[in-house]
Every structure is written in structure tokens, then in C-alpha cells.
Amino acid sequence: MIAFTLLAAVAVAAPRPGELKTIRDWTVGCDNGRACQAVALLPEDGADGATLAIRRGPEAGAVPELWLTLRSESGAAPAFLAVDGRRFALASDGADSFRVRDGGAAFLLGQATRIDILDRAGKVIAPVSTRGSAGALLYMDEQQRRLGTTGALVRRGPASRVPPPPALPVITSPASTAKPARMLKPARVRQLLGRETTTCEYANELDIESARLDARHSLVLASHPCGNGAYNLFSSAWIVDEAGRPRRAAFEASGGMGEGDDMLVNAGWDAKARRLTTFSKGRGLGDCGVGQAYVWDGTRFRLVHQEVMGECRGSTDYITTWRAKVR
């Protein structure tokens, strides 16, 4: 009975990232803390246009944030977002990204029949699809428990109370140390990877990275010389103790294109944030895929952030589906 209880507790504690929902030209999703984001995608025929993203926190008074990315070769500078003729000023956010200054625009999008990006003279630079906007924003309202409230984006009502969001999981990470990281020699890494991942006609150079995790453990991250794609590079990770003994790194969750805990995609160690990151691209443009970040808890790597874009349709505004706090 005790063993069963422990197994059940582990199962309950496992991360359950939110899922994305696509409604015509819009995709939407929320994370485990009820923060949500909806994104207007480019047309399926690949025509020029603009992608628009709306993010809103779970709190009752959270104001929607809107920004857009221009996918047009017109060369004109965007100045306004026009929703059925009503203009909202834009502020440059770098490159082809622009912030909508007034979050109130979000409350019009669900009923809009036309959304355009305008230059300063009022000329249309690019359209934003309205197909699916009402359904996507209604879904966001539903997930955030706002239906029938004064703050709903689509189906507003007289109610004012929005239930508080669920608490985010908290992960305790060991303190860092100045001790140098333990290393593994290339010959040992090749032995651990196995013949099938190190011998091929066009083998890449073996890239080995080491980092100190805590006083007793180090991370060794090694690329696979064989079997990589054009934009997805595979790696394996080991935990090395103070005696130099390696074991496969254990992960709380795996995602993207990796097959099991020992297959990471486009992985790297962020020394400043002390996080291990992965990014599985759906295609070379990077407009779809899965990005993850893990922290070390002294035993395994725990998922602290996940973002996803399931539709390869021009938007790099990935939607967060999982968050955790680190202390």
C-alpha cells in the first residue's frame, strides 16, 4: 500500500503542459497557471500578411498584451493596427515586430470583420486574418474562467469575479559552486554514445560541454556526430559524480523529437540562468516546434518552462504551455 501511494504521488506531480487548439487561422493555448495566448497565423497558401499575438495573464485585472510581426515585402513602416476602421497606434519592438500600445484592441478582435496593418498615411500594408478569432478568444476566456464577466474578450456579462489562478509548482535547485566541472574524455563519450551514433560516412566533430551543477554533480553534454538533420542537432547528457563516474541524466519530461531521456534536440547549457534548454524545430524557419528549459534539483532535470507552436504558418510567437518557479 505504501509503495502504491508513493507511485501515485509521483504520477500526480508529473508535468501536464497545456495543449494548443487551432481554429481556422488562429491557434490558442494556456499554461498550467492559466496564462493564455492566441495567435493569428498567416494564410495556409503562404501569402504575405501579418501575424498577431495576444497574451493575457490569469489575474482578474490582467490587461491583454498585443504585438504583431509583419510578413510583407512592401517596405512600408507600420503605424497602426486597424480593427474595422478603428485605429490603434503601434510601437516598434525591433526588426519586424511591433507592440500595440492600447490593450483595449483585444476586446474588439473577436467581433471584427476586418483587421489591417496601416502605414502613417492610412494605406493598408498587410491584413490579419479574422477567420477563427472569435473562437480562439472565446476559448481563452473559457480557460481563464472569464465567461460572463466584465473582463471577457468575447462573451461579456455583469459578473466581476474571476477565480484566482492555480499555484505554480516550485522546484528547489541546489546552490551553485565555484568548483570546476568534472569532464569526460572524448574516447569515453564515444564509448557511452555507442557505435551507431559515432560511426557514419559523414561524421561531424564531437562537441563536448561540461558544467558544474552542485558540489557533487557535473553535467556533460555531448553532440551526436551522426544522425543529425539540417536544423535539428541531437545530443546526450550525463551526470558525472566526483569520482568521474557517468550516468544518464534523468528528465522529468521529454518533448520535441527526442526519443527518451537520452536524446536531446538543439540542447545547450545556459550558465547564467543555470538551465538546460532544448529546441525542436518543425522546419528550418523555426515557425513551429517545441522549446523547453530544465533546472537541476539534485537528482534529475525538472521542467521549468515549455513553449510550443504547432502550426508551421509564419509565426514565431510560441505559446507557453508550462511554467514552474525555481528557488
Side-chain angles (χ1 to χ4, degrees), residues 21-286:
K21 184 179 181 68
T22 298
I23 305 172
R24 304 183 82 177
D25 291 340
W26 284 64
T27 188
V28 59
C30 303
D31 63 26
N32 51 310
R34 284 200 210 122
C36 299
Q37 182 175 315
V39 179
L41 307 166
L42 291 184
E44 290 185 293
D45 61 9
D48 282 350
T51 63
L52 177 66
I54 305 169
R55 181 189 297 129
R56 195 178 195 184
E59 300 79 14
V63 176
E65 300 174 52
L66 293 85
W67 67 97
L68 61 93
T69 302
L70 188 62
R71 306 293 185 186
S72 172
E73 298 180 358
S74 68
F80 303 100
L81 172 72
V83 184
D84 285 336
R86 182 174 174 180
R87 297 183 183 185
F88 296 86
L90 301 176
S92 177
D93 203 26
D96 295 324
S97 182
F98 300 84
R99 295 275 169 178
V100 181
R101 293 183 183 274
D102 186 351
F107 294 89
L108 304 179
L109 297 177
Q111 295 80 33
T113 59
R114 186 175 180 86
I115 306 173
D116 293 304
I117 310 303
L118 310 179
D119 64 13
R120 291 198 176 278
K123 181 180 179 181
V124 175
I125 298 174
V128 175
S129 178
T130 61
R131 291 165 29 96
S133 59
L137 298 183
L138 182 65
Y139 178 84
M140 181 185 290
D141 280 341
E142 181 181 26
Q143 297 304 305
Q144 295 191 323
R145 315 295 194 264
R146 298 185 194 274
L147 291 180
T149 70
T150 56
L153 296 175
V154 177
R155 193 175 294 172
R156 285 184 284 279
S160 59
R161 184 181 181 277
V162 175
L168 298 178
V170 177
I171 300 171
T172 301
S173 184
S176 60
T177 173
K179 293 173 64 175
R182 294 290 179 179
M183 305 282 290
L184 290 178
K185 293 182 178 180
R188 179 59 171 140
V189 170
R190 290 183 182 276
Q191 183 183 45
L192 291 169
L193 285 174
R195 182 177 177 82
E196 69 278 3
T197 60
T198 57
T199 56
C200 53
E201 185 176 358
Y202 301 103
N204 295 321
E205 183 178 348
L206 185 64
D207 186 18
I208 304 173
E209 183 179 2
S210 297
R212 171 63 66 172
L213 296 174
D214 58 37
R216 297 184 298 132
H217 303 96
S218 297
L219 166 70
V220 171
L221 185 65
S223 63
H224 289 196
C226 304
N228 294 298
Y231 43 81
N232 283 316
L233 306 179
F234 296 92
S235 301
S236 288
W238 294 271
I239 303 302
V240 181
D241 64 19
E242 291 301 272
R245 296 171 298 208
R247 61 175 171 85
R248 286 285 190 182
F251 289 80
E252 182 179 48
S254 61
M257 297 171 61
E259 299 177 359
D261 292 347
D262 59 346
M263 184 77 79
L264 306 176
V265 186
N266 296 325
W269 174 254
D270 184 334
K272 184 176 181 180
R274 293 182 55 76
R275 296 185 178 188
L276 179 61
T277 62
T278 66
F279 178 31
S280 301
K281 292 184 180 182
R283 64 177 182 174
L285 292 175

